[in-house]
């Protein structure tokens, strides 16, 4: 039942100071026609109604706190509660963006230090904390590419190369920045095809967007060669940081030759995901691109921390104020607790978990690519269709009955019936073993009684939902029945 | 055992796992990674929870919290009272640590909460459809401009100079990238409202959209009816609204607005140095396929039970890639759910009461300030809970420095963003300003001026 249906006229769930109004009809000086004729239909509820309603809703949600959440490319690691505690400290939570800077020096110190730490982790020279999410970081990066070539007088560079294994946000971001997107096919090993790349690389190419390791969980081992070819052509190399969790403390995008990097703080630095946001997508750049960053960045001089707006070639602003400060605090706390060795250890355990799971699971369902993976890997579910007549989707739905969140399915698009699995470093060996066991059981069910999978799930708050109808005749708000 | 509390692996388990994989060491898992980075990160050592918590607490104390001051500054971020229940409900792990509802059967909590949020935004704006949030007010305005161009194919966007300066900057950034022409519309020096004559003479067949504030950056309530009357059928009418004000002001949808956007922070989200809040975005049903962002819809499951799913995903980047309506993927779902909780607690009465109290205090302050020598309200147009004042005798920065000594966060200084207004400031009040704070402020103003 929705909160609207639970509404009872006359109830309230708030209280305000009992102060007299200064004017008994305070709205009298607003022209009549600008005043609302009909109240908005908001629910009327007591505090206990609201607490029970949202508590009930929360119990219909799966989350990392509930169990294993191996969504590939999403890095659903455990979210330490210290992060929440620091972000809700009185002196951080209630700050106005236009407070005098001398009254927010502590907040600015956190941002300044975070800029430095992220620069060190990625091997870049400067960072902006402004972008609100990974895709927003991509857009920021692409705008920097654009401005850089505008200033250089190379407006003919209107193309951006994106591999077919890339996240959907990559082509969308490049397009939003006004570029033409050129997709290149991966080779049979799942990596960027050097010949393909060389073929499309000419002086009309502004940038190449790469995720490394890529969305198949494979490290682009030719990266130094790619970066050499790109730079020789005057093309910039953009790093999609969605998969940074695999290589933290081992290799840095900057050292691999990337010119621009975005990070997903909510993924790699566990800030957490909040049902799909807020995220945070800081962007780092090499020295030659620093002056193109959005304004302001946090800087330090003898008087203390200040907002530096003096970047004459800046692309402008990409969101209001300074970014998702509350999220930045969480990432800062996370990095401080793990420290330099901990970050490296985290990526090692993420890669260990992924390979362990890959080896065990690929005995049941073929992996899309053999050999060592990084933090994630892809299974090729086409055998399910061939042998049992069930789809990856059916297996995913059946997993819900076993209390496990399914992997990412049908992505990357280049693998049929794909299942993309990222266990992250915060899962124990026992949990991974249990997951393998569950997959084994479901495969037995698929063999013995495939209908069990096709009709799954059975035990969830609702069962398989009609998504086609939902989009064909969309109902996007609640309405009182007449 | 691992030294790090977030990583469960024991030495024994690590060895067993390496053996299962068939490699000798962790290093073997990274053989394909070039050794271009052989030094250690120049970062602090790992630390324990107790020490990091202490360090951050100390840093937080170097800031002056709004809770310790009387607040007369808004300018896009507003200090309203946030009921306690919100923090406890919203910090439940099932909301906080869930992801995008890719598996709707186990994400009904997220989906229903966002469906309710969309309903509330549709009610407030008077439009048919709202999405489940944007990053902030600024990106919502920018995306609205892009949507207008996508919808009518025209290439010129007129934006009022009294739209929040940061929103204008962001809109410029987004539009410049797509070679969309942006033109600023001046305001009347008398009323603070958009200059209707100027608007009329600027309109032509190339104009894709007109963007106005409601109330605008100066707190002035624009006459949406008069503006709409000037626009031809094809021009998209975009209104940037304060959601609290919409509980007392006629819904922009009733005046024919095509898109209504704004910053949702005032709805139960703390100011948090300006982020995260969220952007809200509503439009008419006929434009829904042009709208950016995630939308939640109602449907049935195989047993006929009502449930919720993400709808119209074919507009989105993960399906349409380069042809998507926007690259937005993660939004600000958690903040939107907080807003739904806030609106549920306050209800139609409460939201109205918050608006009226904010309004009443601002008008009282305006009235009293008009009597003070050395201060002069700038505009005669009707206003909500913010209004600008020109200072004589003392500079805005000096005034604010003096007020800060008394733990008053004084009005926003306008000269940087509006040099033509000279030494002027923007006062704001909400229901969280007590009557005694008002008197205290007035006493200080009389002293200083």
């Amino acid at each position: 039942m929705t909160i609207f249906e639970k509404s009872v006229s006359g109830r309230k769930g708030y209280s305000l100071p009992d102060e007299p109004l200064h004017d008994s009809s305070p709205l009298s000086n607003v022209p009549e026609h600008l005043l609302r004729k009909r109240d908005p239909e908001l629910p009327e509820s007591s505090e206990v109604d609201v607490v029970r309603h949202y508590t009930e809703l929360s119990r219909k949600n799966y989350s990392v706190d509930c169990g294993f959440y191996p969504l590939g490319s999403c890095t659903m690691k455990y979210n330490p509660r210290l992060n929440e505690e620091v972000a809700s400290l009185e002196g951080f939570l209630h700050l106005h963006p236009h407070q005098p800077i001398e009254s927010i020096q502590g907040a600015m110190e956190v941002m300044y230090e975070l800029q430095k730490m992220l620069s060190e982790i990625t091997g870049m020279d400067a960072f902006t904390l402004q972008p609100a999410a990974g895709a927003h970081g991509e857009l920021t990066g692409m705008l920097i590419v654009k401005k850089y070539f505008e200033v250089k007088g190379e407006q003919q560079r209107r193309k951006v190369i994106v591999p077919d294994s890339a996240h959907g946000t990559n082509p969308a971001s490049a397009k939003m920045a006004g570029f033409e997107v050129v997709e290149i096919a991966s080779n049979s090993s799942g990596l960027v095809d050097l010949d393909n790349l060389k073929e499309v690389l000419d002086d009309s190419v502004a940038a190449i967007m790469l995720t490394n390791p890529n969305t198949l969980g494979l490290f682009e081992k030719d990266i130094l060669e790619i970066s050499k070819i790109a730079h020789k052509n005057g093309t910039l190399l953009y790093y999609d940081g969605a998969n940074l969790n695999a290589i933290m403390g081992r290799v840095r995008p900057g050292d691999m030759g990337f010119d621009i990097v975005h990070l997903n703080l909510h993924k790699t630095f566990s800030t957490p995901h909040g049902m799909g946001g807020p995220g945070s997508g800081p962007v780092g750049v090499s020295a030659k691109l620093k002056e193109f960053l959005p304004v302001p960045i946090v800087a330090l001089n003898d008087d203390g921390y200040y907002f530096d707006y003096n970047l004459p070639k800046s692309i402008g602003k990409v969101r209001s104020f300074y970014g998702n400060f509350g999220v930045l605090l969480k990432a800062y706390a996370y990095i401080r607790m793990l420290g330099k060795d901990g970050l490296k250890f985290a990526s090692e355990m993420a890669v260990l978990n992924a390979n362990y799971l890959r080896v065990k699971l690929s005995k049941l369902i073929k992996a899309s690519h053999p050999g060592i993976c990084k933090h994630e890997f892809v299974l090729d579910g086409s055998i399910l269709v061939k042998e049992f007549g069930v789809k990856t989707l059916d297996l995913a739905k059946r997993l819900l009955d076993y209390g496990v969140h399914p992997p990412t399915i049908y992505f990357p698009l280049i693998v049929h019936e794909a299942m993309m699995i990222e266990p992250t470093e915060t899962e124990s060996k026992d949990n991974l073993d249990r997951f393998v066991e569950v997959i084994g059981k479901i495969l037995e069910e698929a063999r013995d009684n495939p209908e069990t999978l096709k009709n799954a799930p059975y035990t969830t708050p609702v069962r398989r939902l009609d998504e086609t109808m939902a989009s064909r005749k969309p109902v996007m708000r609640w309405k009182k029945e007449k | 055992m691992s030294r790090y509390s977030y990583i469960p692996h024991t030495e024994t388990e690590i060895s067993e796992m390496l053996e299962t994989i068939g490699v000798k060491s962790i290093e073997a898992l990274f053989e394909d990674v070039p050794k271009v980075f052989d030094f250690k990160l120049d970062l602090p050592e790992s630390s324990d929870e107790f020490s990091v918590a202490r360090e951050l607490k100390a840093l937080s104390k170097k800031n002056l919290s709004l809770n310790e001051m009387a607040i007369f500054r808004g300018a896009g971020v507003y200090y309203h009272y946030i009921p306690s229940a919100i923090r406890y409900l919203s910090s439940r792990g099932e909301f906080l640590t869930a992801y995008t509802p890719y598996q709707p059967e186990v994400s009904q909590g997220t989906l229903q909460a966002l469906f309710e949020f969309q309903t509330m935004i549709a009610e407030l704006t008077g439009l048919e459809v709202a999405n489940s949030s944007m990053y902030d007010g600024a990106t919502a305005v920018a995306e609205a401009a892009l949507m207008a161009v996508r919808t009518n194919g025209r290439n010129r966007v007129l934006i009022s100079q009294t739209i929040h300066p940061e929103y204008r900057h962001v809109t410029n950034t987004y539009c410049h990238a797509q070679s969309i022409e942006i033109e600023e519309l001046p305001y009347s020096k008398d009323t603070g409202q958009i200059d209707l004559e100027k608007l009329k003479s600027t309109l032509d067949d190339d104009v894709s959209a007109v963007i106005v504030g409601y109330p605008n950056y100066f707190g002035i309530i624009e006459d949406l009816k008069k503006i709409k009357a000037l626009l031809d059928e094809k021009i998209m009418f975009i209104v940037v609204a304060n959601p609290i004000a919409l509980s007392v002001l006629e819904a922009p949808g009733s005046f024919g607005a095509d898109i209504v956007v704004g910053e949702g922070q005032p709805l139960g989200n703390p100011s948090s140095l300006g982020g995260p809040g969220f952007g809200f975005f509503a439009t008419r049903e006929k434009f829904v396929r042009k709208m950016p962002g995630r939308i939640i819809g109602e449907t049935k499951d195989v047993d006929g039970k009502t449930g919720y799913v993400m709808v119209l995903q074919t507009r989105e980047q993960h399906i349409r890639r380069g042809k998507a309506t926007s690259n937005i993927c993660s939004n600000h779902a958690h903040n939107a759910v907080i807003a739904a909780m806030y609106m549920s607690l306050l209800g139609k009465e409460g939201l109205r009461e918050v608006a009226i109290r904010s309004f009443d205090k601002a008008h009282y302050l305006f009235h009293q300030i008009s009597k003070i020598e050395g201060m002069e309200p700038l505009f005669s147009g009707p206003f909500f809970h913010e209004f600008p004042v020109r200072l004589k005798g003392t500079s805005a920065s000096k005034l604010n420095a003096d007020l800060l000594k008394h733990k008053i966060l004084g009005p926003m200084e306008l000269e940087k963003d509006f040099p033509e207004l000279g030494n002027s400031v923007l006062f704001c009040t909400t229901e969280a300003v007590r009557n005694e704070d008002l008197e205290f402020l007035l006493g200080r103003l009389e002293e200083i001026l």
Side-chain angles (χ1 to χ4, degrees):
Chain A
M1 214 201 268
T2 62
I3 188 83
F4 303 99
E5 290 152 289
K6 293 176 184 172
S7 168
V8 175
S9 177
R11 277 197 190 153
K12 58 179 239 173
Y14 73 98
S15 63
L16 291 174
D18 189 17
E19 292 182 316
L21 292 175
H22 295 89
D23 185 341
S24 54
S25 53
L27 300 174
S28 55
N29 62 348
V30 177
E32 187 63 30
H33 73 282
L34 294 176
L35 290 176
R36 211 163 173 124
K37 311 288 172 297
R38 183 186 67 85
D39 277 341
E41 278 303 321
L42 297 177
E44 293 175 87
S45 331
S46 65
E47 183 176 326
V48 61
D49 297 332
V50 174
V51 168
R52 287 195 183 142
H53 178 70
Y54 287 103
T55 302
E56 183 195 324
L57 288 189
S58 76
R59 293 169 68 182
K60 293 183 180 173
N61 256 10
Y62 194 88
S63 70
V64 177
D65 283 3
C66 299
F68 190 34
Y69 214 134
L71 270 180
S73 240
C74 300
T75 314
M76 296 296 289
K77 56 170 81 174
Y78 170 72
N79 309 112
R81 281 312 182 277
L82 174 69
N83 295 357
E84 296 311 309
E85 187 164 309
V86 305
S88 55
L89 286 168
E90 172 78 23
F92 287 137
L93 199 57
H94 300 289
L95 298 179
H96 196 284
H98 290 308
Q99 247 174 273
I101 55 164
E102 57 275 18
S103 71
I104 52 167
Q105 286 292 302
M108 296 180 75
E109 185 173 335
V110 170
M111 290 193 281
Y112 182 79
E113 289 299 321
L114 186 62
Q115 284 174 187
K116 268 182 26 188
M117 294 194 300
L118 298 180
S119 297
E120 175 64 17
I121 292 168
T122 56
M124 305 311 284
D125 283 288
F127 254 88
T128 170
L129 304 175
Q130 210 176 104
H136 201 212
E138 292 173 19
L139 173 62
T140 305
M142 286 298 109
L143 292 172
I144 289 171
V145 171
K146 198 156 187 222
K147 190 83 191 262
Y148 171 74
F149 286 118
E150 252 171 49
V151 169
K152 254 187 127 193
E154 296 182 33
Q155 273 93 337
Q156 87 285 359
R157 293 194 187 263
R158 52 178 203 284
K159 292 185 195 158
V160 167
I161 296 178
V162 181
D164 57 0
S165 64
H167 300 110
T169 47
N170 284 184
S173 300
K175 191 71 193 302
M176 238 173 122
F179 286 110
E180 201 178 298
V181 177
V182 182
E183 199 171 274
I184 52 164
S186 311
N187 64 22
S188 57
S189 323
L191 301 175
V192 170
D193 187 313
L194 282 179
D195 293 330
N196 261 350
L197 181 64
K198 282 179 194 157
E199 213 165 283
V200 288
L201 204 57
D202 58 28
D203 73 351
S204 68
V205 178
I208 304 171
M209 294 183 94
L210 288 183
T211 309
N212 194 17
N214 65 24
T215 58
L216 293 163
L218 304 172
F219 192 86
E220 298 283 354
K221 60 180 174 45
D222 298 326
I223 185 61
L224 298 181
E225 177 69 11
I226 295 173
S227 108
K228 209 169 91 191
I229 304 171
H231 289 146
K232 202 170 153 201
N233 189 55
T235 297
L236 294 173
L237 208 52
Y238 180 91
Y239 185 80
D240 176 332
N243 296 347
L244 186 82
N245 204 45
I247 56 165
M248 268 189 305
R250 181 162 298 268
V251 67
R252 307 189 301 177
D255 298 332
M256 289 189 259
F258 285 92
D259 303 284
I260 309 175
V261 170
H262 92 259
L263 299 180
N264 300 70
L265 296 188
H266 45 292
K267 297 181 180 181
T268 315
F269 303 105
S270 185
T271 66
H273 291 74
M275 305 173 276
S280 178
V283 168
V285 291
S286 58
K288 68 177 175 205
L289 297 173
K290 184 180 170 183
E291 46 189 355
F292 296 92
L293 287 175
V295 283
I297 52 176
V298 181
L300 177 65
N301 65 17
D302 292 345
D303 296 330
Y305 299 97
Y306 67 101
F307 290 116
D308 187 359
Y309 282 89
N310 187 22
L311 300 174
K313 293 176 190 160
S314 168
I315 57 165
K317 285 186 78 70
V318 293
R319 65 151 285 165
S320 52
F321 314 117
Y322 324 114
N324 284 340
F325 176 64
V327 180
L328 303 176
L329 279 165
K330 299 178 189 189
Y332 179 86
Y334 179 82
I335 296 171
R336 285 286 292 109
M337 246 194 98
L338 278 180
K340 56 181 168 190
D341 291 328
L343 291 176
K344 182 160 183 262
F345 188 64
S347 67
E348 288 172 352
M349 292 304 106
V351 172
L352 177 70
N353 274 1
N355 279 287
Y356 178 73
L357 210 48
R358 175 185 57 80
V359 165
K360 293 194 85 170
L361 280 179
S362 57
K363 288 177 187 149
L364 302 172
I365 304 169
K366 190 172 103 90
S368 70
H369 294 83
I372 299 292
C373 66
K374 285 294 157 294
H375 64 307
E376 64 190 4
F377 58 96
V378 178
L379 297 181
D380 179 350
S382 52
I383 188 162
L384 298 172
V385 181
K386 225 182 308 166
E387 294 201 1
F388 313 120
V390 298
K391 293 191 280 189
T392 289
L393 178 75
D394 302 316
L395 181 140
K397 295 301 178 195
R398 187 62 180 145
L399 270 172
L400 298 174
D401 287 324
Y402 286 93
V404 179
H405 196 282
T408 298
I409 53 175
Y410 301 104
F411 184 81
L413 308 171
I414 49 178
V415 176
H416 295 296
E417 295 289 324
M419 257 176 275
M420 183 191 206
I421 301 173
E422 179 179 10
T424 84
E425 70 277 11
T426 57
E427 292 307 316
S428 64
K429 177 172 172 289
D430 313 339
N431 288 345
L432 303 182
D433 288 340
R434 253 194 303 272
F435 180 62
V436 176
E437 232 172 82
V438 168
I439 296 273
K441 268 188 205 157
I442 295 176
L443 289 177
E444 275 171 35
E445 290 174 349
R447 189 190 57 214
D448 300 341
N449 186 7
E451 291 308 305
T452 311
L453 271 66
K454 287 185 201 166
N455 294 317
Y458 303 92
T459 58
T460 44
V462 288
R463 294 193 49 214
R464 210 176 283 202
L465 289 154
D466 189 343
E467 302 198 42
T468 316
M469 181 188 87
S471 281
R472 196 167 292 156
K473 283 186 162 177
V475 178
M476 295 164 282
R477 56 158 298 176
W478 179 83
K479 268 194 186 121
K480 208 181 242 177
E481 275 176 42
K482 286 186 189 123
Chain B
M1 212 169 68
S2 147
R3 292 194 289 124
Y4 310 101
S5 51
Y6 311 149
I7 305 169
H9 301 68
T10 65
E11 291 294 338
T12 321
E13 285 169 334
I14 294 175
S15 317
E16 285 169 10
M17 292 168 83
L18 286 171
E19 199 174 318
T20 304
I21 298 167
V23 293
K24 286 208 170 60
S25 65
I26 296 284
E27 287 306 309
L29 300 174
F30 289 92
E31 262 171 6
D32 47 358
V33 177
K35 299 265 179 303
V36 282
F37 175 54
D38 267 341
F39 52 95
K40 282 217 158 185
L41 290 176
D42 182 15
L43 288 177
E45 299 286 345
S46 67
S47 188
D48 60 285
E49 182 169 317
F50 176 77
S51 306
V52 176
R54 261 176 87 106
E55 178 201 330
L56 278 150
K57 200 164 187 183
L59 281 170
S60 79
K61 291 208 161 137
K62 290 188 183 174
N63 305 317
L64 191 54
S65 149
L66 296 181
N67 288 352
E68 296 171 50
M69 294 185 278
I71 312 301
F72 295 94
R73 191 170 297 190
V77 172
Y78 300 96
Y79 180 71
H80 290 283
Y81 180 69
I82 302 170
S84 306
I86 290 176
R87 178 153 151 210
Y88 288 89
L89 281 175
S90 66
S91 59
R92 287 184 69 93
E94 299 90 335
F95 289 136
L96 203 59
T97 74
Y99 196 52
T100 306
Y102 287 136
Q103 295 292 337
E105 293 84 355
V106 290
S107 311
Q108 287 299 301
T110 298
L111 289 159
Q112 187 178 327
L114 290 173
F115 179 77
E116 292 174 358
F117 164 79
Q118 288 174 186
T119 305
M120 293 172 188
I121 294 296
E123 276 295 323
L124 282 176
T125 56
L127 287 171
E128 288 139 4
V129 202
N131 74 12
S132 66
S133 80
M134 308 293 289
Y135 305 133
D136 69 346
T139 56
V141 175
E143 292 261 18
L146 301 186
M147 174 173 153
V149 170
R150 218 164 32 238
T151 304
N152 58 23
R154 298 172 171 191
N155 203 45
R156 214 163 123 233
V157 172
L158 309 183
I159 189 166
S160 164
Q161 259 175 17
T162 59
I163 296 296
H164 196 297
E166 304 239 340
Y167 297 10
R168 275 184 282 135
H169 290 165
V170 174
T171 305
N172 275 325
T173 306
Y174 273 54
C175 286
H176 173 75
Q178 300 198 7
S179 307
I180 296 166
E181 205 184 312
I182 295 270
E183 200 170 315
E184 293 198 346
L185 288 168
Y187 55 91
S188 147
K189 301 288 177 280
D190 297 327
T191 61
Q193 290 169 317
I194 198 165
D195 183 335
L196 290 173
E197 286 308 310
K198 185 72 193 173
L199 169 62
K200 211 166 154 185
S201 65
T202 313
L203 289 169
D204 63 26
D205 289 353
D206 289 339
V207 172
S208 171
V210 170
I211 308 179
V212 302
Y214 187 61
N216 66 28
Y217 185 68
F218 299 140
I220 308 286
I221 304 166
E222 299 281 1
D223 193 328
L224 300 186
K225 196 175 174 185
K226 285 186 184 159
I227 297 169
K228 175 69 185 179
L230 299 177
L231 310 183
D232 80 38
E233 273 298 283
K234 266 193 142 183
I235 296 178
M236 297 288 274
F237 186 23
I238 300 173
V239 175
V240 186
N242 175 316
I244 302 271
L246 291 182
S247 65
V248 292
L249 297 183
E250 185 57 280
S254 310
F255 294 114
D258 299 296
I259 303 174
V260 179
V261 292
E263 171 60 53
Q265 175 273 329
L267 300 169
N269 280 272
S271 41
S272 190
L273 203 64
F278 67 93
F280 62 87
F281 197 117
T283 190
R284 304 190 170 280
E285 191 144 17
K286 64 176 173 185
F287 300 130
V288 67
R289 284 182 165 76
K290 305 280 182 192
M291 179 159 73
R294 287 188 185 123
I295 311 171
I296 312 305
E298 190 185 281
T299 189
K300 299 278 182 206
D301 76 355
V302 287
D303 297 331
K305 203 168 165 188
T306 298
Y308 304 91
V309 293
M310 295 194 275
V311 295
L312 305 175
Q313 292 183 67
T314 46
R315 300 165 301 115
E316 292 186 73
Q317 44 70 31
H318 65 280
I319 305 225
R320 295 220 61 201
R321 299 174 81 84
K323 293 192 178 92
T325 56
S326 164
N327 73 334
I328 190 171
C329 179
S330 287
N331 53 15
H332 280 202
H334 194 250
N335 302 92
V337 168
I338 285 175
M341 291 169 180
Y342 178 80
M343 287 188 270
S344 300
L345 283 166
L346 272 86
K348 59 172 104 166
E349 265 308 302
L351 210 59
R352 197 180 154 78
E353 199 179 335
V354 165
I356 287 180
R357 285 179 181 276
S358 306
F359 190 99
D360 175 66
K361 287 172 202 285
H363 283 73
Y364 172 73
L365 187 61
F366 179 87
H367 188 70
Q368 297 303 108
I369 278 179
S370 312
K371 292 191 228 161
I372 298 176
E373 190 83 21
M375 299 181 96
E376 178 190 32
L378 277 175
F379 302 122
S380 62
F383 63 97
F384 176 54
H385 69 341
E386 261 171 316
F387 60 92
V389 168
R390 178 172 291 120
L391 302 175
K392 296 176 241 167
T394 187
S395 77
S397 57
K398 169 90 174 35
L399 172 78
N400 272 325
D402 280 353
L403 291 175
L404 196 63
K405 283 185 207 146
H406 295 283
K407 295 227 166 165
I408 295 172
L409 183 60
M412 178 73 187
E413 296 162 27
L414 291 173
E415 188 157 16
K416 195 176 132 257
D417 293 313
F418 298 90
E420 73 277 14
L421 295 180
N423 188 27
S424 299
V425 292
L426 183 67
F427 279 98
C428 175
T429 58
T430 66
E431 87 292 353
V433 170
R434 305 289 305 260
N435 284 347
E436 62 194 51
D437 298 333
L438 282 170
E439 298 306 330
F440 186 61
L441 170 75
L442 287 164
R444 299 291 77 72
L445 290 177
E446 274 175 11
E447 234 172 60
I448 297 164
L449 291 157

